[in-house]
Amino acid sequence: MLNDLHSIKKSVQEEAEKAESLQDIQNLKIRYLGKKGLLTGKIKTLSSIPKEQRPEYGRSLNEIKNFTEELLDSKEKAFKASELDTSLQTQQIDVTVPGCYTPSGRLHPVTQVLNEIIGIFVSLGFSVEEGPEIELDYYNFEALNFPKDHPARDMQDTFFISDDVVLRTHTSSVQVRVMEKNSPPLRVIAPGKVYRCDADVSHIPMFHQLEGFMVDRHIRMSDLKGMLELFIHRVFGPETSLRFRPSFFPFTEPSAEIDISCVMCKGAGCNVCSGTGWIEILGAGMINPRVYESAGYDPDVYTGFAFGLGIERVAMLKYEINDIRLFPENDKRFLEQF
Ligand code: DAH
């Protein structure tokens, strides 16, 4: 019986020696040590060995089992190591192969400028509101003190949907909507698309504006001035000067148009500023008491300012673009520059 065990040991040794792959070793493990393996079988029959031979037989069996385990484990390890070696050699990575080009998208320049401007006002405590682009004549005109037959309506080339519904011509339409739903103090900006029937190098039928307004007790024109100065300095740099020119808007009294010193020639005069050294940048004023009446606010209690700004205009000045029509064209050669 002991001879039996010794011949098993010998065959393990011989077969392990002949093994050529990891798979061969794994097969040997199953053959000798698996559930139905040769050595496992011997252990199972231990109880049928005569009592007096059992201790010595058991010891030898154990020894051969351990020997087999160790031998096959170390062979397995060796094969694994050499397989790794060959795969490292045959599957070398060439770090000089050019990579795949993954084009990355970016935000439209108008969106970038809009986000920057919104960020500035949010940092000053303004909240952001939106209104509909298809708007009632009431919010776009009537509530802002443009009566139906008022000549000031001609300032804006309106797209009419029906007698009472328009594509909003300015984001000032959001003012009374916000005032109706909230009470002062208000500090609001309303960015968005607006529409006018107009097209040339400096006009497109759909463009972006940002309306801002503040309503509280004791708001003065100097508050408007200080706030706009801070805003312009953040967008165009602290060396930029501002100039308030008297103007007219039905929803502000007094009204002003605000110019900044030309960002190209720094005020010396060039073709961007038509030689004047100044560029018109926004409209503003103190909110007309008529607007508070539309909103149901007491004009004797509250005062406030409003301003409106064209986003494409700011982007054109910032990036030195001379034709506003480039923005909606979506030519990648243009867009990739921002
Ligand atoms: N809504 C005016 C426009 O589109 C711009 C504007 C002017 C807005 C004066 C204002 C303002 O809030 O006070 O031309």
Side-chain angles (χ1 to χ4, degrees):
M1 274 185 301
L2 279 176
N3 284 344
D4 223 16
L5 289 184
H6 285 298
S7 70
I8 290 181
K9 183 176 175 181
K10 212 168 143 212
S11 71
V12 170
Q13 268 175 313
E14 281 170 9
E15 286 178 55
E17 203 55 50
K18 275 192 255 164
E20 282 172 352
S21 66
L22 184 61
Q23 187 60 54
D24 288 349
I25 297 295
Q26 278 160 352
N27 289 342
L28 286 179
K29 275 191 159 179
I30 295 167
R31 210 164 130 213
Y32 288 95
L33 301 164
K35 262 191 188 154
K36 292 178 182 161
L38 279 172
L39 288 166
T40 321
K42 296 282 176 208
I43 295 168
K44 280 185 190 151
T45 56
L46 202 57
S47 54
S48 61
I49 306 286
K51 231 181 176 171
E52 53 286 5
Q53 293 170 16
R54 217 181 287 163
E56 197 192 342
Y57 184 83
R59 215 177 301 118
S60 300
L61 179 56
N62 214 19
E63 200 181 284
I64 290 167
K65 184 176 154 269
N66 289 342
F67 168 82
T68 308
E69 276 173 357
E70 274 166 33
L71 176 67
L72 296 182
D73 280 350
S74 76
K75 285 267 177 198
E76 190 174 54
K77 243 192 217 158
F79 275 116
K80 275 187 181 162
S82 85
E83 273 185 16
L84 180 65
D85 252 13
T86 43
S87 80
L88 282 178
Q89 269 166 27
T90 54
Q91 300 168 17
Q92 273 177 11
I93 295 166
D94 181 355
V95 291
T96 65
V97 172
C100 304
Y101 170 64
T102 334
S104 69
R106 64 198 76 197
L107 294 175
H108 191 282
V110 168
T111 309
Q112 291 185 33
V113 169
L114 194 52
N115 286 350
E116 182 190 344
I117 294 174
I118 291 172
I120 294 171
F121 283 106
V122 166
S123 80
L124 294 172
F126 283 73
S127 60
V128 182
E129 298 280 352
E130 284 180 319
E133 289 168 31
I134 300 174
E135 181 58 284
L136 292 171
D137 179 289
Y138 175 76
Y139 289 109
N140 197 82
F141 291 124
E142 202 87 25
L144 294 173
N145 193 32
F146 290 84
K148 277 259 190 238
D149 51 359
H150 196 284
R153 286 195 179 208
D154 294 345
M155 285 161 74
Q156 316 199 340
D157 308 281
T158 313
F159 286 112
F160 281 91
I161 305 256
S162 70
D163 274 353
D164 298 326
V165 182
V166 300
L167 291 184
R168 67 177 178 192
T169 57
H170 54 182
T171 42
S172 305
S173 60
V174 182
Q175 278 190 26
V176 172
R177 282 188 174 274
V178 170
M179 289 185 200
E180 278 176 349
K181 290 210 187 85
N182 303 276
S183 19
L186 292 181
R187 221 175 335 177
V188 174
I189 52 168
K193 294 189 181 77
V194 299
Y195 301 83
R196 290 185 199 182
C197 187
D198 205 355
D200 57 40
V201 278
S202 49
H203 297 90
I204 38 177
M206 185 201 78
F207 60 103
H208 297 76
Q209 279 190 342
L210 181 131
E211 182 80 9
F213 54 98
M214 190 165 173
V215 182
D216 201 351
R217 294 163 199 264
H218 316 302
I219 301 285
R220 297 173 306 182
M221 197 141 183
S222 53
D223 296 313
L224 170 68
K225 191 160 182 260
M227 207 243 6
L228 287 180
E229 201 164 79
L230 189 149
F231 163 68
I232 292 294
H233 285 174
R234 286 223 202 148
V235 177
F236 293 107
E239 68 286 355
T240 316
S241 322
L242 279 83
R243 175 171 90 167
F244 277 57
R245 258 186 306 110
S247 184
F248 172 79
F249 298 100
F251 42 92
T252 42
E253 183 58 37
S255 302
E257 275 170 301
I258 286 96
D259 300 335
I260 57 171
S261 52
C262 179
V263 292
M264 310 292 171
C265 64
K266 310 285 173 212
C270 66
N271 61 355
V272 173
C273 58
S274 317
T276 64
W278 294 96
I279 295 175
E280 184 192 322
I281 189 83
L282 47 78
M286 299 307 287
I287 295 174
N288 192 312
R290 287 288 183 86
V291 176
Y292 296 133
E293 279 165 21
S294 307
Y297 290 2
D298 185 346
D300 290 332
V301 176
Y302 295 111
T303 56
F305 62 71
F307 59 90
L309 170 78
I311 304 303
E312 279 81 353
R313 185 146 179 77
V314 176
M316 286 170 82
L317 292 172
K318 233 176 129 74
Y319 298 125
E320 305 186 14
I321 296 163
N322 55 14
D323 188 343
I324 195 172
R325 292 171 296 197
L326 288 165
F327 289 119
E329 240 167 33
N330 279 338
D331 185 330
K332 275 177 71 188
R333 291 168 304 178
F334 170 72
L335 297 176
E336 274 167 359
Q337 297 176 45
F338 306 97

